[in-house]
Amino acid sequence: MEERKPNILLAEDDTNLGMVLKNYLELNDYDVELCRDGILALAAFRREKFDLCLLDIMMPNMDGFKLAEEIRDVDPDIPLFFLSAKTMKEDIIQGYKLGADDYIVKPFDSELLLLKIRAILKRNQELSNKEEEQHEFAIGRYAFNARLRTLVHDGESHTLSPKENELLRMLCEHKNDLLPRELALKKIWGSDTYFNGRSMDVYIAKLRKYLKDDPNIEIVNIHGNGFRLVVKD
């Protein structure tokens, strides 16, 4: 049976750039759905299964930031790149706050973009295929199953996204000890860049929220070094 090609959603209102990029990616064994505004891209995302999204920011009807929010509501962990001529630091930070895996400034090198796409899809495949020796953890009053990606408290189960799951698993493996920031970033995000660090901080905040009902649990930020999952007996 022929292996399925990764499917990419490309939201780009520049007709020439959109077609050139679509053709280039298709020549490199990707299926590409090209949409020229945010509303059409969101409809396509809800209709089909994609492995990665490439989003322009300045588009008619719905801009890339709003589109990213809508996509994250449907799938909080799909790889997402912004492709934009907007170079202000505030725009780049906004992109990463919305959960972007990368923010690529136009004009860009198509070969470099291709390498980044390959790297992140390979990383995600390795994470999804990985078998862990220990997958069940007791965290205070919570029961965490890393294989099922479930966090259970008082009979209520919450399903974690893949990145949330991997980060909590690493914290559990280092329970009451330091989880080095660099280790978590390289293992989950692929590199320890500043913007990936900002993204991890967002995920740490989410985990704190999920664990807030047990006062004996705390995720402590060890400034400049990493995090500790502290569970009091």
Side-chain angles (χ1 to χ4, degrees), residues 35-52:
C35 300
R36 294 192 171 87
D37 72 52
I39 290 178
L40 292 175
L42 181 58
F45 185 80
R46 287 173 170 164
R47 183 177 64 247
E48 298 180 41
K49 175 176 174 52
F50 292 97
D51 299 287
L52 183 141

Side-chain angles (χ1 to χ4, degrees), residues 160-210:
L160 302 175
S161 74
K163 278 182 184 171
E164 292 169 349
N165 186 75
E166 184 67 7
L167 185 54
L168 183 56
R169 185 190 65 78
M170 293 187 73
L171 285 166
C172 286
E173 289 180 345
H174 293 76
K175 187 171 74 170
N176 294 323
D177 200 353
L178 176 69
L179 170 60
R181 189 177 185 87
E182 181 181 0
L183 176 64
L185 283 170
K186 288 185 175 179
K187 194 165 187 180
I188 302 173
W189 276 264
S191 67
D192 59 344
T193 65
Y194 167 79
F195 291 110
N196 283 343
R198 293 292 295 268
S199 176
M200 183 168 72
D201 291 340
V202 172
Y203 279 84
I204 287 288
K206 290 180 179 180
L207 293 179
R208 286 185 176 125
K209 182 179 178 181
Y210 300 152

Side-chain angles (χ1 to χ4, degrees), residues 23-36:
N23 292 336
Y24 177 74
L25 291 171
E26 288 178 340
L27 285 171
N28 284 278
D29 293 325
Y30 294 94
D31 287 328
V32 180
E33 176 83 14
L34 173 60
C35 300
R36 294 192 171 87

Side-chain angles (χ1 to χ4, degrees), residues 138-142 167-179 204 207-208 211-222 226-233:
I139 314 171
R141 301 174 188 168
Y142 292 82
L167 185 54
L168 183 56
R169 185 190 65 78
M170 293 187 73
L171 285 166
C172 286
E173 289 180 345
H174 293 76
K175 187 171 74 170
N176 294 323
D177 200 353
L178 176 69
L179 170 60
I204 287 288
L207 293 179
R208 286 185 176 125
L211 297 168
K212 65 182 176 60
D213 290 328
D214 187 339
N216 293 315
I217 299 173
E218 185 179 9
I219 300 177
V220 180
N221 181 13
I222 309 300
F227 300 94
R228 289 180 66 215
L229 174 63
V230 177
V231 183
K232 299 174 184 176
D233 294 332

